Amino acid sequence: MRIVLPQPEIAANFGNILRSSACFDVPVSVIEPLGFPLATRDVRRAAMDYGRQVDLTRHADWGHYVAKQTGRRILFTTRGAERLDGFAVSQDDHLIFGGESAGAPDAVHAACAHRLLIPISGRSLNLSNAVAIALFEALRQTRGLP
């Protein structure tokens, strides 16, 4: 399992995602361009010392990521056709989350095997919260919780 973040925009969200990744021992792929420098203080503050524990891979663009990855691509989006709670996640899935303001680009949507939504009563969740919810459910299903 892997968390994939194409073009994240907010450093603090990214730092929080790194923390979740470290706590659940799940690698992260980040796809440029980023809305912030990776070494920014906001990333370090949110990730705390957990950031050093994360298996982080940086990709120059979406095409570079697709060429290097294996496994099924699962996009979490407010435009999802399937609900997370009714979907069977696999251990080799890549959990993909779009940027904070515009979501995932059309190329990402087109390249994903499935588009899932997290059932909520509001419009959308904060990116780091969505990642934490989806990651926990995926690990619960695959018996990958620590």
Side-chain angles (χ1 to χ4, degrees):
M1 190 162 310
R2 175 174 289 275
I3 297 167
V4 181
L5 304 169
Q7 304 173 2
E9 301 168 51
I10 300 174
N13 281 338
F14 183 71
N16 287 331
I17 292 166
L18 291 179
R19 246 173 110 176
S20 294
S21 170
C23 288
F24 290 110
D25 195 26
V26 174
V28 174
S29 286
V30 63
I31 301 165
E32 298 192 32
L34 309 179
F36 51 87
L38 273 182
T40 188
R41 185 171 48 120
D42 291 337
V43 171
R44 287 191 310 274
R45 181 183 304 129
M48 298 175 37
D49 61 339
Y50 295 89
R52 293 187 295 273
Q53 301 170 22
V54 176
D55 175 1
L56 178 64
T57 304
R58 199 169 173 175
H59 299 278
D61 56 37
W62 177 252
H64 183 262
Y65 159 75
V66 169
K68 300 278 185 186
Q69 68 100 97
T70 59
R72 189 170 61 164
R73 292 184 292 267
I74 310 298
L75 177 62
F76 287 82
T77 173
T78 57
R79 301 183 330 202
E82 301 174 75
R83 290 169 50 125
L84 170 60
D85 58 331
F87 184 81
V89 180
S90 298
Q91 289 179 335
D92 62 345
D93 285 345
H94 289 224
L95 310 180
I96 303 171
F97 301 83
E100 289 89 336
S101 65
D106 290 339
V108 174
H109 275 268
C112 290
H114 298 277
R115 288 166 206 75
L116 302 184
L117 59 84
I118 298 170
I120 59 171
S121 60
R123 290 183 332 169
S124 64
L125 290 165
N126 170 282
L127 177 61
S128 61
N129 291 336
V131 170
I133 290 167
L135 180 58
F136 185 88
E137 174 60 13
L139 292 171
R140 185 195 67 77
Q141 284 186 25
T142 60
R143 304 199 186 294
L145 290 169

